[in-house]
Amino acid sequence: SAQSINSEMEERLDAIKALGHAALKQKQCIQKQREKYEEALSELKELKAEYEILQNENENFEEDKRRSQNELMEVNVQKTSLQVEVARWEEEFKKLEQERREDREKMKRLKKEV
């Protein structure tokens, strides 16, 4: 009968509306997920840029550290060289002091003899 066909059509129409509503909800959910994905991707790009900056700073720090260590080694070599030089001069000074004492003693003896 026409009424049962009409009723069946209304049920189908309601089912189609329900499917349309579910599809719309799913589309909105997908859009929200896409937005979250875009945000996460943007944050990831920012973090990558920050990481690269930190990596460059670390490389610069390591280079400065190597340079400082090399300079320190050079300073230590110069220090050792100066210590050797000072020790040599101290030895030379001791010899001269000894010679001076010996010369004084000779002069005393010579004065006594004269």
Side-chain angles (χ1 to χ4, degrees), residues 2 22 25 61 71 73 77 82-83 91 96 102 106 111:
K25 274 193 160 190
F61 171 78
E71 288 172 5
M73 286 193 322
V77 166
L82 286 172
Q83 287 171 333
E91 212 43 52
L96 289 172
E102 290 171 3
K106 282 181 189 175
K111 281 182 183 178

Side-chain angles (χ1 to χ4, degrees), residues 95-108:
K95 285 179 190 173
L96 289 172
E97 281 288 306
Q98 183 63 32
E99 287 175 14
R100 197 170 131 206
R101 268 193 300 269
E102 290 171 3
D103 286 349
R104 263 194 249 141
E105 288 173 14
K106 282 181 189 175
M107 290 296 284
K108 284 180 184 176

